[in-house]
Amino acid sequence: MKYRFRRLTSVVLAAGFMFTAAACSNGSKNNLTDTVYWTAPSSVKYMLEQTPDLKYGENPSLEMCGNETESVQLIVTPSANVSSYDVQVGALTSGENSIPAENVKVFAEHYINVTAPTTAQFPAGYYPDAMIPLEYVKKAGEDKIKKGQNQAFVLQITADEGTPAGVYSAPVTVTLNGESEVKTLRVEVRDYSISTATHTKTAFALWDDQLVYGHYEVTPELIDTYYEFLNDYRVTPLNVPNIKTLTPEEQAQTVYEYAVREDISGINLPYI
């Protein structure tokens, strides 16, 4: 009787260990072993459920000049649901030269559902549109990806004026559900810098009263932020920010301060 009991106990324990091992195996892999990491130029858009396109490889790379900002996409297609993610990029190094980590910004692309396409070439579905700073996505708890869907990240790199020419590289650590995968960002900096002066004349219509449709409150600081944001991309807005709130004397002084900036290509003079 004791022998039979011991045999039965052994069988139960063995079965228990088998189930425990299977559970531990699945848990440790987190079902993410078949996750696809791929990359693409910033000018190419891939839809939320589009099949991964591996022609650009899995390690992001780009070429740029000094005094320039360029971007490249790193796209993740997980083999399991992702309840949290993170992307960290280290400093770019080339021998003794470096581009600091703070010169690299990470954005998560937000997908917009297009239900009524305007042409047969572009089907209905979710398209990447907005670029949201990663820290805000995580703060809002929206750092989630469904199994088999794409999540694109934009890596935006700025090479300061005078950055030595060379091939720079940095680790890109992608963490999904607490498990990390490291890719390599490669940046080739050319042997010249783009001038700060903007020679292309622009007058982008940025209407202050329209900003209220995207913000709860429009402040002078917000208007100034929009102006400088566009100007960072060498697109000078039509009007000097907050110009209508100033007296004629203040307007004259403010217009002069903007006019002497070499990064501003045009100014719409106010009239009274």
Side-chain angles (χ1 to χ4, degrees):
M1 185 70 178
K2 288 184 179 180
Y3 176 71
R4 184 179 179 187
F5 178 77
R6 283 198 299 268
R7 287 186 59 190
L8 180 60
T9 303
S10 299
V11 170
V12 172
L13 288 174
F17 282 128
M18 289 175 61
F19 285 115
T20 302
C24 290
S25 174
N26 290 336
S28 62
K29 292 182 179 179
N30 214 1
N31 295 323
L32 291 169
T33 53
D34 295 326
T35 294
V36 181
Y37 296 86
W38 45 301
T39 185
S42 59
S43 57
V44 180
K45 287 189 175 183
Y46 290 96
M47 297 176 68
L48 182 66
E49 297 183 341
Q50 194 165 343
T51 302
D53 185 353
L54 305 180
K55 65 183 177 183
Y56 299 108
E58 62 179 31
N59 290 299
S61 64
L62 56 81
E63 299 176 6
M64 63 190 307
C65 306
N67 199 31
E68 185 180 25
T69 298
E70 290 288 350
S71 301
V72 64
Q73 295 180 92
L74 177 60
I75 308 170
V76 178
T77 309
S79 53
N81 290 333
V82 174
S83 59
S84 65
Y85 61 71
D86 189 31
V87 179
Q88 297 289 331
V89 183
L92 287 149
T93 59
S94 175
E96 296 181 352
N97 301 317
S98 66
I99 298 174
E102 54 264 28
N103 280 30
V104 182
K105 296 181 180 179
V106 181
F107 299 86
E109 297 186 27
H110 179 70
Y111 294 80
I112 303 297
N113 188 18
V114 177
T115 57
T118 57
T119 172
Q121 294 179 328
F122 299 101
Y126 284 85
Y127 287 82
D129 186 67
M131 289 168 47
I132 305 176
L134 183 59
E135 61 266 28
Y136 294 115
V137 175
K138 293 170 62 65
K139 184 177 181 180
E142 295 186 359
D143 53 334
K144 296 173 175 54
I145 316 172
K146 289 185 178 180
K147 175 183 177 181
Q149 294 187 345
N150 301 320
Q151 177 58 60
F153 300 96
V154 174
L155 311 181
Q156 187 183 81
I157 301 95
T158 298
D160 297 329
E161 185 174 5
T163 297
V167 177
Y168 294 74
S169 62
V172 181
T173 304
V174 181
T175 303
L176 307 177
N177 292 347
E179 295 188 2
S180 297
E181 178 82 12
V182 179
K183 300 300 176 183
T184 300
L185 170 62
R186 178 186 181 276
V187 176
E188 182 174 354
V189 179
R190 298 296 188 179
D191 192 21
Y192 62 93
S193 293
I194 295 177
S195 67
T196 302
T198 300
H199 302 286
T200 303
K201 303 298 181 183
T202 61
F204 189 89
L206 179 62
W207 309 111
D208 298 352
D209 59 342
Q210 299 298 309
L211 299 181
V212 70
Y213 296 108
H215 299 272
Y216 292 111
E217 182 182 7
V218 177
T219 64
E221 292 77 18
L222 178 66
I223 295 171
D224 186 68
T225 297
Y226 265 91
Y227 184 93
E228 296 299 341
F229 174 83
L230 288 171
N231 209 52
D232 284 343
Y233 287 86
R234 299 179 182 267
V235 180
T236 300
L238 177 63
N239 297 313
V240 172
N242 304 303
I243 194 71
K244 294 181 180 179
T245 64
L246 306 177
T247 65
E249 292 77 13
E250 292 171 334
Q251 288 182 356
Q253 178 62 32
T254 300
V255 166
Y256 173 78
E257 292 172 356
Y258 279 87
V260 297
R261 286 174 51 177
E262 60 179 348
D263 59 330
I264 292 178
S265 64
I267 288 178
N268 178 33
L269 293 175
Y271 59 89
I272 301 176

